[in-house]
């Protein structure tokens, strides 16, 4: 019967011989992590020194040096060691903004609490205690993100066979605290939309209000609001839109009255802040984010006026001036700051740029001829997130008319 192979990552019997005076050689067979059994040897001035040197060589092989996988993790590796391997994988496969976000969460929250734990010490009970401590500090969505990152780190350890399974999978789901209602999505009603645009376009007799209207117009807020309401874009997508992404002549579409041309926008990227890089523009994270959407007349008209001004195709539609005077992309934080400074004037203290996206989604949802698949395509989502985007609770006065018709 053939001799059974050595287990992976283990040495055979060590033999030590004297090669010549004061030169000893320690040898053994070692089965590497690729399944190949190799001969290892080490020299030393004494028998003990040669054996010690061979043990060091064996230790290096177990750690992955010289094998097909670098940075091999073992049960005694720390959670921080696994996080380094995990972040390297994220940096290779995901957008730099995602990598920067994961680095932030790891450095600020996860590693201070778990970084020194050995992988074999990352038990279900310890992870549950860690997430429980976070409950008073973070909202459920943030805790879900932190849990996802911890799960990703430990999944790397599973792939390295440092732990048998991912303990995060055994944890309870993170849910909304009892008695705390989830905030309902809220968009702008028709009256609120008209009031906002009238204020942005108007000229007040009150000097204090007039000053804020001038601030809003200097920041292109009237045009930006119309752009957001007509496209439903996220703030990063909107500020990344270039002149070459627009086709205001329109694409031809058949209609009962003959051929109709519809202006369109190609959503092909977004801008975001990345640590050590500043504001960067990159492609969308998912296939759903890359899409072509039609433009309503009020948005297309505003864009034609803006594009009549001098500009290169690569310039953003809503540019900012860089420190060197060159045209660059506008910071999302600056748009949010401008909006905060004026929104109280129109009684919309709660409004954010994402409110305009929810307004767009609500208008789409009210149109019964659109399927959820069509709405998801327009919104750039894998599936239409009605519960997260569609505004509820408006007064539908026509319901009384319908009921009167049914009973009278």
């Amino acid at each position: 019967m053939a001799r059974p192979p050595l287990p992976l990552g283990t040495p055979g019997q060590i033999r030590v011989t004297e090669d010549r005076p004061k030169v000893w050689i320690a040898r053994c067979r070692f089965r590497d992590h690729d399944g190949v059994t190799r001969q290892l040897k080490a020299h030393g001035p004494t028998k003990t020194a040669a054996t010690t040197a061979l043990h060091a060589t064996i230790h290096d092989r177990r750690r992955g040096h010289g094998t097909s996988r670098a940075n091999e993790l073992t049960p005694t590796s720390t959670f921080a060691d696994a996080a380094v391997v995990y972040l390297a994988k994220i940096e290779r496969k995901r957008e730099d903004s995602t990598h920067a976000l994961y680095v932030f969460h790891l450095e600020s929250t996860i590693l201070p609490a778990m970084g020194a734990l050995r992988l074999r010490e990352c038990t279900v009970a310890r992870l549950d205690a860690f997430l429980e401590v976070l409950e008073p500090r973070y909202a459920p969505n943030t805790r879900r993100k932190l849990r996802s990152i911890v799960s990703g780190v430990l999944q790397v350890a599973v792939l390295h066979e440092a732990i048998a399974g991912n303990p995060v999978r055994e944890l309870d789901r993170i849910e909304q605290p009892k008695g705390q209602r989830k905030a309902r999505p809220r968009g702008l009603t028709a009256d609120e939309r008209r009031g906002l645009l009238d204020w942005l376009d108007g000229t007040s007799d009150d000097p204090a209000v007039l000053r804020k209207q001038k601030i809003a117009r200097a920041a292109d807020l009237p045009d930006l609001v119309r752009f957001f309401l007509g496209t439903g874009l996220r703030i990063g997508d909107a500020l990344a839109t270039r002149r070459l992404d627009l086709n205001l002549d329109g694409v031809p579409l058949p209609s009962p009255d003959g051929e109709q041309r519809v202006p369109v926008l190609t959503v092909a990227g977004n801008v975001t802040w990345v640590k050590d890089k500043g504001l960067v523009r990159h492609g969308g994270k998912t296939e759903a984010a890359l899409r072509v959407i039609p433009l309503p007349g009020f948005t297309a008209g505003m864009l034609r006026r803006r594009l009549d001004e001098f500009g290169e195709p690569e310039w953003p539609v809503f540019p900012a001036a860089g420190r060197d005077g060159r045209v660059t992309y506008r910071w999302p934080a600056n748009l949010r700051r401008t909006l905060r400074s004026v929104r109280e004037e129109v009684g919309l203290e709660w409004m954010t740029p994402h409110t305009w996206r929810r307004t767009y989604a609500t208008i789409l949802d009210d149109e019964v001829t659109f399927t959820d698949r069509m709405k998801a395509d327009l919104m750039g989502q894998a599936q239409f997130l009605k519960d997260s985007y569609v505004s509820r609770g408006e007064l539908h006065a026509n319901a009384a008319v319908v009921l009167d018709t049914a009973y009278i």
Side-chain angles (χ1 to χ4, degrees):
M1 179 181 292
R3 182 169 57 182
L6 293 167
L8 289 175
T10 59
Q13 183 179 4
I14 296 177
R15 301 183 304 277
V16 185
T17 59
E18 188 176 18
D19 184 55
R20 55 185 182 274
K22 295 186 178 180
V23 177
W24 291 78
I25 301 177
R27 298 181 176 88
C28 74
R29 294 183 307 120
F30 182 86
R31 191 170 181 221
D32 265 327
H33 292 280
D34 58 4
V36 178
T37 301
R38 296 178 172 87
Q39 291 288 336
L40 301 183
K41 64 179 181 179
H43 298 77
T46 65
K47 185 175 181 178
T48 301
T51 303
T52 301
L54 183 59
H55 280 301
T57 301
I58 292 170
H59 177 73
D60 286 343
R61 304 297 289 197
R62 284 175 169 164
R63 291 286 296 172
H65 299 289
T67 68
S68 58
R69 170 179 278 178
N71 300 322
E72 190 79 20
L73 299 172
T74 69
T76 59
S77 300
T78 64
F79 183 91
D81 293 334
V84 171
V85 181
Y86 173 67
L87 287 175
K89 179 181 288 189
I90 293 297
E91 189 172 21
R92 291 194 306 271
K93 296 184 176 182
R94 305 286 290 275
E95 295 288 352
D96 48 10
S97 57
T98 302
H99 177 263
L101 178 65
Y102 286 14
V103 168
F104 170 77
H105 284 311
L106 280 163
E107 292 181 348
S108 63
T109 305
I110 300 173
L111 292 181
M114 299 180 53
L117 288 177
R118 304 293 177 181
L119 291 175
R120 65 188 177 200
E121 297 172 335
C122 295
T123 61
V124 175
R126 286 194 175 95
L127 296 179
D128 184 62
F130 164 68
L131 292 174
E132 189 174 345
V133 170
L134 299 180
E135 186 169 341
R137 298 169 50 194
Y138 297 106
N141 281 342
T142 303
R143 285 184 282 126
R144 291 186 191 104
K145 173 60 69 177
L146 294 170
R147 169 180 163 149
S148 174
I149 295 173
V150 172
S151 178
V153 173
L154 293 178
Q155 187 60 31
V156 167
V158 172
L159 296 176
H160 282 240
E161 298 184 349
I163 54 178
N166 193 335
V168 175
R169 296 179 178 176
E170 306 300 325
L171 296 174
D172 293 334
R173 295 177 58 187
I174 297 176
E175 299 179 351
Q176 202 76 17
K178 185 177 180 181
Q180 180 179 338
R181 293 190 304 174
K182 182 179 179 181
R184 292 189 303 181
R186 185 177 178 185
L188 298 175
T189 65
D191 288 341
E192 289 170 338
R193 295 194 294 271
R194 284 191 290 268
L196 173 62
L197 292 174
D198 288 345
W199 186 89
L200 291 171
D201 296 335
T203 302
S204 175
D205 295 331
D206 186 332
V209 176
L210 179 61
R211 180 176 60 83
K212 290 194 174 184
Q213 287 176 325
K214 289 181 178 179
I215 291 173
R217 285 194 277 272
D220 290 328
L221 203 54
D223 287 353
L224 279 164
V225 170
R226 287 176 168 86
F227 186 67
F228 277 97
L229 291 176
T231 60
L233 296 183
R234 302 172 180 90
I235 187 170
D237 298 337
L239 298 184
T241 302
R242 302 162 298 184
R243 291 168 174 258
L244 60 84
D245 297 326
L246 295 168
N247 180 356
L248 298 182
D249 292 332
V251 297
L253 293 176
S255 70
D257 300 327
E259 186 177 86
Q260 179 185 9
R261 301 191 74 87
V262 177
V264 295
L265 161 66
T266 300
V267 184
N270 58 60
V271 292
T272 186
W273 177 83
V274 177
K275 185 178 180 180
D276 298 328
K277 293 184 179 181
L279 191 67
V280 298
R281 185 187 192 278
H282 55 65
K285 294 183 179 181
T286 65
E287 291 185 5
L290 307 176
R291 62 200 187 277
V292 178
I293 56 177
L295 296 173
F298 71 90
T299 302
M302 175 272 296
L303 291 170
R304 289 190 184 96
R305 174 179 54 78
R306 292 189 68 88
L307 266 62
D308 281 344
E309 301 170 2
F310 173 77
E312 299 295 330
E314 289 285 344
W315 282 14
V317 175
F318 300 97
R323 293 180 179 178
D324 55 2
R326 292 186 300 176
V327 170
T328 185
Y329 292 100
R330 188 173 305 205
W331 283 76
N334 289 343
L335 172 57
R336 292 190 179 98
R337 186 181 302 111
T338 301
L339 180 60
R340 286 196 298 269
S341 69
V342 303
R343 61 189 179 185
E344 292 183 8
E345 297 294 334
V346 287
L348 299 172
E349 297 86 351
W350 49 272
M351 180 176 60
T352 69
H354 214 63
T355 302
W356 305 326
R357 178 167 166 82
R358 294 191 183 100
T359 304
Y360 180 87
T362 303
I363 295 172
L364 292 182
D365 195 59
D366 287 341
E367 177 51 60
V368 296
T369 60
F370 288 163
T371 65
D372 282 353
R373 177 70 272 161
M374 296 165 65
K375 299 169 193 173
D377 288 342
L378 291 167
M379 294 285 292
Q381 298 170 339
Q383 58 183 358
F384 187 53
L385 304 177
K386 180 179 294 189
D387 291 340
S388 299
Y389 280 89
V390 176
S391 179
R392 303 290 297 276
E394 293 186 30
L395 175 63
H396 302 286
N398 288 339
V401 178
V402 172
L403 290 169
D404 274 337
T405 303
Y407 288 101
I408 297 176

